[in-house]
């Protein structure tokens, strides 16, 4: 019997904005913004790549990314980026970090 209250283990890590900021400086790190193009153009993290989780071809775009990188994933509040991390982990990505409270709580520079 399936237990609705037992969640499957997360295959990604929720991290603070401070940890996220520190990891952005590491090599082999990809910063993914999974918000809409409109949200992305209104302010993003330096070096971020925009792949909208709501777009029809999200999985297609993710499929072509190298799996040996560390992915720092963010959205507005941490909700969509958490979903993106779930999808990516199901696709075989192993080094996934979700910005826990999203760019709303980002105290550093946006471009």
């Amino acid at each position: 019997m399936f237990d609705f209250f037992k969640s499957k283990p997360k295959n990604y890590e929720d991290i603070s904005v401070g940890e996220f900021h520190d990891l952005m400086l590491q090599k082999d790190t990809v910063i993914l913004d999974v918000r809409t193009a409109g949200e992305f153009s209104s302010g993003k993290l330096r070096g971020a790549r925009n792949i909208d989780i709501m777009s029809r071809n999200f999985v297609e775009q993710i499929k072509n990314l190298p799996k040996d990188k560390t992915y720092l994933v963010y959205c507005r509040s941490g909700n969509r980026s958490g979903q993106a991390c779930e999808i990516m982990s199901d696709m075989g990505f192993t080094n996934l970090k979700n910005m826990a409270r999203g760019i709303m709580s980002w105290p550093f520079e946006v471009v």
Side-chain angles (χ1 to χ4, degrees):
M1 182 174 125
F2 185 75
D3 184 353
F4 287 105
F5 300 107
K6 194 171 173 191
S7 62
K8 70 176 192 166
K10 279 199 309 202
N11 293 321
Y12 64 92
E13 188 182 354
D14 289 316
I15 61 172
S16 70
V17 290
E19 284 178 273
F20 197 101
H21 184 259
D22 293 345
L23 286 170
M24 286 171 66
L25 307 170
Q26 309 277 328
K27 72 180 196 55
D28 285 339
T29 300
V30 178
I31 304 162
L32 275 189
D33 183 323
V34 296
R35 300 175 301 161
T36 65
E39 288 175 294
F40 186 72
S41 64
S42 70
K44 63 185 182 295
L45 303 186
R46 183 177 306 284
R49 177 172 177 181
N50 185 217
I51 303 180
D52 180 0
I53 189 172
M54 299 306 188
S55 74
R56 287 195 315 271
N57 61 351
F58 177 75
V59 170
E60 276 305 303
Q61 293 180 70
I62 293 297
K63 203 164 57 178
N64 299 317
L65 298 174
K67 291 190 170 64
D68 61 346
K69 306 265 185 226
T70 296
Y71 288 88
L72 302 177
V73 188
Y74 75 94
C75 65
R76 190 180 64 83
S77 68
N79 189 1
R80 285 174 286 175
S81 51
Q83 293 171 357
C85 285
E86 285 281 336
I87 292 166
M88 291 174 75
S89 88
D90 289 347
M91 294 170 72
F93 290 85
T94 55
N95 212 343
L96 299 163
K97 312 282 186 200
N98 176 40
M99 186 191 294
R101 292 182 15 248
I103 198 170
M104 288 188 324
S105 60
W106 185 254
F108 309 105
E109 176 193 35
V110 292
V111 292

